[in-house]
Amino acid sequence: ASVPLEDLWPGQGNSIPNLEEYFSSIQGEQQQGERPEPDMTAAVHFLDVGHGDAVLMESGGEYALLDAGPSEGIDNLMSYLAYLEIDSLKYLIMSHPHEDHIGGMQTVVEYVPVEQVLLPDFDKGPYPTTSTFEKLLDAMLEKELPTSTMRTGEEYPLGNGSIEVLQDGVEHDGNFNLLSPMLLFEAGDMRFLATGDAEKANEKAALESGVSLWATLYKAAHHGSSTSNTPEFLEEVNPWLTVIPCGKDNIYGHPHREVLEDLEALGSGILRTDVDGFIRVTPDGEGGLQASTTTPREEPQSEPQTQAA
C-alpha cells in the first residue's frame, strides 16, 4: 500500500495564505443541496506556483496533472495535493519541457504514484537536453512509469469525462513552446481548453484544421503573452472564463495588455494566479461555472506590459 502523501510531504501548505479557509469554503459548497445530474465532481484547479503552469483536472475521483510549475513552486504544489488527499494521478501530462512547466515534475514522480505519463511529440524538432529534463526522465525510468506520446485525435478517459488532443503541436527548430498540444477536458457541462505555451503558429494550425475550439473555460496560453492568444484564436474559443497562470510582477510583463483587452472584448471573465492565488473552477449545475480562490480580489501591483517574451 502506498504511504499517504500527507505523511510524506511536510509543510501541509503552511506557506499558502488562506488555504484552510479555501478548502473549508469548497467543502461547504459541496454540502449544499442535492447534486444535479451533470458531473459535479468535475473541477479544474489552477495552482499558484509562481511564474509557471500547474493545472489539476478532476473528474469522478480521478486526477490528471498538467505540468508541475517551476522548481520554486514545488512546496505549494505538493501541499495542495496533500490537502486534497490525492494518493495517485491517472495522468501526469507534460505540455513542453521548459523549466516553468516541468521544474516540479521530478518531485511529483518521486512522491505520487502515476498511472501514465503523457508527453508531447518530441519528433517534431530537436530533442531537449536540459539537466532538469534529463533528471526527470531518470526519475520516470526509475519508477518504471508507462509513457505515451500525445497525438491529434486521441482521447484519454478521466473519471466521467475525457481529455482529447485537439492538436499535437507543430514542428520547431528549438522553440519548445511549439511542442505544446491543445487539450480539451470535457466533463459534465465543462469544456476546458489548455494550450500550454502554444504560440501563433500552433493557433494558426488549429484554426486551419477546422477543429472546434469553443470552450467554457480557457487557460490563457503562455501566461497571457501576446506571442499567443491571437484575436482570431480567442474568438473561436470564446470562453466564459479565462484563467491566467503567471507570477506576480514577473519580468516578462505577463499577461500582456492587448490579450487582456481582447478577452474583455469577448466578455470573458478573467482570473489570475498572481492576483487570485489558487483557483478552482467547477460546473455550477445550471450550465455555468463557479470559481473559488484563495486570495481576495485585489488589483495587481503593476500594470501589464506589452512586450513579447
Side-chain angles (χ1 to χ4, degrees), residues 239-298:
W240 301 344
L241 176 63
T242 299
V243 176
I244 305 174
C246 57
K248 200 167 190 177
D249 299 324
N250 64 84
I251 63 173
Y252 308 107
H254 295 156
H256 292 155
R257 182 188 300 277
E258 54 264 49
V259 174
L260 296 176
E261 291 175 348
D262 288 341
L263 287 167
E264 289 168 357
L266 289 171
S268 176
I270 300 172
L271 293 172
R272 305 163 43 163
T273 57
D274 64 332
V275 176
D276 302 293
F278 290 79
I279 300 163
R280 175 181 179 268
V281 182
T282 61
D284 65 3
E286 299 178 352
L289 300 174
Q290 59 187 6
S292 304
T293 67
T294 56
T295 306
R297 190 65 154 139
E298 297 176 357

Side-chain angles (χ1 to χ4, degrees), residues 152-167:
T152 298
E154 292 182 339
E155 287 193 30
Y156 300 90
L158 184 72
N160 302 317
S162 65
I163 301 170
E164 181 182 358
V165 183
L166 300 184
Q167 200 246 11

Side-chain angles (χ1 to χ4, degrees), residues 61-192:
E62 294 184 338
Y63 298 89
L65 180 63
L66 171 59
D67 292 332
S71 57
E72 58 265 28
I74 191 59
D75 182 61
N76 276 11
L77 188 158
M78 296 297 288
S79 297
Y80 193 91
L81 298 184
Y83 261 101
L84 284 179
E85 299 181 350
I86 293 175
D87 56 10
S88 66
L89 295 170
K90 184 164 187 179
Y91 306 112
L92 177 60
I93 308 172
M94 179 192 301
S95 69
H96 66 292
H98 281 159
E99 202 278 339
D100 59 332
H101 291 251
I102 66 166
M105 200 168 283
Q106 179 182 345
T107 302
V108 173
V109 166
E110 291 171 347
Y111 278 87
V112 186
V114 173
E115 290 186 28
Q116 188 175 12
V117 179
L118 304 183
L119 299 171
D121 185 359
F122 290 118
D123 289 337
K124 291 185 181 293
Y127 200 74
T129 57
T130 64
S131 61
T132 298
F133 179 75
E134 291 177 345
K135 288 177 182 177
L136 171 58
L137 290 188
D138 289 342
M140 289 164 49
L141 287 171
E142 184 175 343
K143 292 287 186 178
E144 299 181 343
L145 297 181
T147 64
S148 177
T149 296
M150 293 176 281
R151 309 285 187 191
T152 298
E154 292 182 339
E155 287 193 30
Y156 300 90
L158 184 72
N160 302 317
S162 65
I163 301 170
E164 181 182 358
V165 183
L166 300 184
Q167 200 246 11
D168 59 11
V170 298
E171 292 186 357
H172 70 95
D173 59 3
N175 179 3
F176 294 117
N177 288 338
L178 300 180
L179 284 178
S180 299
M182 296 189 179
L183 304 178
L184 179 69
F185 170 50
E186 276 194 279
D189 292 330
M190 180 181 289
R191 285 175 58 93
F192 167 53

Side-chain angles (χ1 to χ4, degrees), residues 22-72:
Y22 168 76
F23 276 103
S24 296
S25 69
I26 289 174
Q27 291 166 358
E29 290 172 5
Q30 292 175 341
Q31 292 167 0
Q32 292 177 7
E34 294 185 3
R35 298 282 186 193
E37 188 64 27
D39 180 16
M40 291 298 287
T41 64
V44 180
H45 308 252
F46 299 85
L47 281 57
D48 184 7
V49 292
H51 197 64
D53 277 17
V55 181
L56 184 70
M57 293 171 279
E58 169 188 0
S59 176
E62 294 184 338
Y63 298 89
L65 180 63
L66 171 59
D67 292 332
S71 57
E72 58 265 28

